[in-house]
Amino acid sequence: MNARRYLLVALVAFAASLAAVLVTRLWFAPEPRVESEVHALLHQRLTLDAAQEQRIHALETAFATRRATLEAEMRADNQRLADAIAAEHGYGPKVAEAVDRSHHVMGQLQKDTLQHIFAMRAVLRPDQAAQFDAAIVKALTQPVPSTR
């Protein structure tokens, strides 16, 4: 009887951990729509001169490294959250701490992304910057697509 109970508790804990990771990925790591819109605008619709292309490429290369670092931190945060859920089986102090940490890293990624966007904007001519601004506003105000 006790062995069955322990097995049931272990299965429930595993399912809760898995669900938490999936929910975290869906809620806290949406597709980077703004970056996709900006990238398409810069490389497909605006006519950049060679100097602009070179400067933007350098900015994108540096940001890709920073983003990869923060995304690795977010994956580690997801693991810490899953571990905390498995350990506490509810919303306890370890779960709360893991959530707070993941929010901090996500916030840093958002700040760094905005700094990157403004750095690229500074490379553009005024006519290009107007199109860039319109694309940013559009990307930020579009409804979030449903994940269902």
Side-chain angles (χ1 to χ4, degrees):
M1 181 78 170
N2 282 342
R4 292 173 87 180
R5 182 175 293 172
Y6 288 124
L7 179 60
L8 179 61
V9 168
L11 288 174
V12 169
F14 176 76
S17 298
L18 182 60
V21 170
L22 293 175
V23 167
T24 299
R25 286 183 182 199
L26 290 175
W27 286 353
F28 298 126
E31 281 293 313
R33 289 184 334 202
V34 174
E35 291 177 56
S36 304
E37 286 285 324
V38 170
H39 191 269
L41 176 70
L42 285 172
H43 297 289
Q44 296 169 7
R45 295 190 297 257
L46 292 180
T47 305
L48 302 176
D49 63 34
Q52 288 175 312
E53 287 277 359
Q54 185 178 23
R55 289 174 62 197
I56 286 176
H57 177 73
L59 290 169
E60 288 177 328
T61 300
F63 181 65
T65 301
R66 177 67 176 146
R67 183 177 60 211
T69 298
L70 291 171
E71 287 173 348
E73 285 183 46
M74 287 191 300
R75 284 189 299 276
D77 288 341
N78 283 344
Q79 182 61 54
R80 281 189 282 277
L81 177 59
D83 294 345
I85 289 169
E88 294 183 327
H89 307 292
Y91 196 85
K94 289 180 184 177
V95 171
E97 181 182 333
V99 169
D100 289 344
R101 169 136 172 75
S102 69
H103 287 178
H104 173 75
V105 175
M106 284 185 279
Q108 190 60 52
L109 177 59
Q110 186 175 31
K111 290 174 186 177
D112 289 1
T113 299
L114 288 170
Q115 289 174 346
H116 170 63
I117 286 171
F118 289 124
M120 289 190 301
R121 185 187 188 283
V123 173
L124 303 175
R125 296 185 315 264
D127 62 308
Q128 294 169 324
Q131 292 178 55
F132 185 86
D133 293 347
I136 296 290
V137 169
K138 180 181 175 190
L140 287 172
T141 58
Q142 287 178 349
V144 176
S146 175
T147 57
R148 294 180 199 195

